[in-house]
Amino acid sequence: MKIKRYTLFSLLLIVVLLLAACGGNTTDTGDTGNTGDTGNTGDTGNTGNTGDTGDEMMEEDPWGYITFAPGESIKLAVSSALAGGYAVYGQDMVNGVELAIEDFGGELMGFPIIVEAGDDGCEGAPAVTVAEQFSADPAVLGVIGPMCSGSVFPASDIYAGNNVVMITPSSTAVIITARGYQNLFRTVANDDLQAEVTAGFLAEDKGVTTLGIMHDQSLYGEGIAQAISDKFEAGGGTVTAFEGITRGETDYSAVISEVLAGEPEAVYFGGMDAEGALLINQLRAAGFEGIFFGPDGIKSKPTFIDASGGAAEGSFATFGAVAGAVGAEDWATRFAEKYGDPVAYGPGSYDSATIILQAAEKVAFLDADGNLKIPRFALAEMIRATPYEGVTGALQFTETGDLAKVSITVFEVVDGDFIEVKTVDFGE
């Protein structure tokens, strides 16, 4: 399903909203709140449009309104894996959203903000169930997630059909933003860019000419594995094997034997940390001494490095971020004091939640009965139109919901931790 752009309406709407925020409201202080701020001070200035009933602010929103009666709570929803092998990532996302709400001030125009988490298991069918539940909940302002591309792809149909804003801090499959959904955004680079950096690093920095590839047969894992294969071969390299494994299994010796039969200098795995830790352990046990490389899905110290029992030492992984992060070190310290070190997607979830909250603050108004009303289409357009200085960097969305400016960093496991090796910037 494609969503109409309402281009003229969008432009007029943003102009009217900005004018309303800047003046003409005798009870408004003129403080628009957290624009361009990471929220680290905890001072949000959440005055909103408290003196305007909204009746003259705009035309009827084409997507309708999220309405909160006095005393009701605003929900920021998180869709991710909350149990099983990937739960560490899901909890990291929830933690990031909780901290964002705290830094925002915990309320919007007097209405409290809470987190509601749904366990999608990093799988398609559960993610659809969670999407149906969140879309049916009139108190959901927006969704952070889902985490996995295989979850985002089917769930995003549900969110788009119900005009629910969603920002994924982790889904990298190219197809996710290629379908024209105007409610969907992501704060990470896509797999084509990860593949470009990976293939270039292996060939140019490490001199690798032969590569064995494994993947977990998911939309994410197989998709990035195929992108790696295409770009590595386009650069003159030889892919000696392209094999799938099954998530949740523990013995990959048969597939490993097939991959190592081609005597590759390096092995790439498209997938997640739980299987990645098993694979590197079993590859080393099988005598493989070459380079092991994976995507952002394996970049977890507790569930890849530590779980590998030392076998991950010397491995490489890519992780997408954007250039120019502001206050990232101070933020990470505050996060660690509250939850422990971020695993992977906590920072991106923090930024995603703050982006939604700041956009909501700009378009929200109280009606004559004291209900808080947030126009859905105006919310999406404000997210798209507003640059944001976050802990993951300077974020600005394109028309497709992708980031205009991103970077990909190559990390190496050194002495039991991920160390930055090389960063490549994309965009203006």
Side-chain angles (χ1 to χ4, degrees), residues 238-258:
T238 299
V239 174
T240 59
F242 192 90
E243 300 290 340
I245 65 167
T246 301
R247 280 181 172 181
E249 292 186 352
T250 57
D251 183 2
Y252 298 119
S253 57
V255 179
I256 287 172
S257 294
E258 292 183 29

Side-chain angles (χ1 to χ4, degrees), residues 34 36-44 99-100 102-105 325-335 350-351 354 358 388-392:
N34 287 327
D37 191 351
T38 63
N40 290 343
T41 64
D43 181 9
T44 66
L99 187 57
E102 179 181 316
D103 285 351
F104 190 75
V326 174
E329 291 185 5
D330 290 342
W331 179 89
T333 298
R334 292 192 304 112
F335 186 99
Y350 176 94
D351 280 347
T354 306
Q358 290 186 358
Y388 168 73
E389 292 289 339
V391 297
T392 60

Side-chain angles (χ1 to χ4, degrees), residues 371-425:
N371 299 309
L372 177 67
K373 303 195 74 171
I374 300 173
R376 292 183 181 274
F377 185 68
L379 176 64
E381 290 301 281
M382 190 61 72
I383 289 172
R384 193 183 321 280
T386 308
Y388 168 73
E389 292 289 339
V391 297
T392 60
L395 286 74
Q396 174 69 66
F397 295 109
T398 66
E399 285 299 305
T400 65
D402 279 306
L403 291 174
K405 181 178 180 181
V406 297
S407 63
I408 301 292
T409 299
V410 177
F411 292 85
E412 181 178 5
V413 179
V414 179
D415 295 331
D417 207 350
F418 286 106
I419 304 300
E420 294 184 20
V421 175
K422 180 179 182 179
T423 296
V424 180
D425 296 327

Side-chain angles (χ1 to χ4, degrees), residues 36-194:
D37 191 351
T38 63
N40 290 343
T41 64
D43 181 9
T44 66
N46 293 345
T47 59
N49 296 301
T50 56
D52 196 330
T53 65
D55 295 335
E56 289 136 10
M57 283 182 62
M58 65 189 77
E59 300 176 27
E60 188 69 19
D61 190 276
W63 289 3
Y65 297 85
I66 313 167
T67 303
F68 302 91
E72 291 184 340
S73 295
I74 300 167
K75 294 180 181 178
L76 269 184
V78 178
S79 176
S80 190
L82 300 175
Y86 308 141
V88 63
Y89 290 113
Q91 189 58 53
D92 196 41
M93 290 173 62
V94 172
N95 293 343
V97 174
E98 285 183 347
L99 187 57
I101 292 172
E102 179 181 316
D103 285 351
F104 190 75
E107 54 86 20
L108 175 60
M109 295 171 65
F111 289 73
I113 307 167
I114 62 174
V115 178
E116 174 118 340
D119 185 5
D120 63 32
C122 193
E123 297 289 348
V128 168
T129 299
V130 171
E132 289 171 342
Q133 293 170 347
F134 285 161
S135 296
D137 189 340
V140 169
L141 171 63
V143 177
I144 291 83
M147 177 180 78
C148 299
S149 294
S151 301
V152 174
F153 186 70
S156 58
D157 293 338
I158 307 299
Y159 293 123
N162 290 279
N163 301 321
V164 177
V165 163
M166 58 176 291
I167 304 180
T168 172
S170 51
S171 174
T172 56
V174 175
I175 195 172
I176 296 304
T177 54
R179 294 166 295 157
Y181 289 159
Q182 297 304 305
N183 65 311
L184 187 157
F185 305 87
R186 62 175 159 199
T187 59
V188 288
N190 67 43
D191 287 339
D192 271 356
L193 301 183
Q194 282 201 80

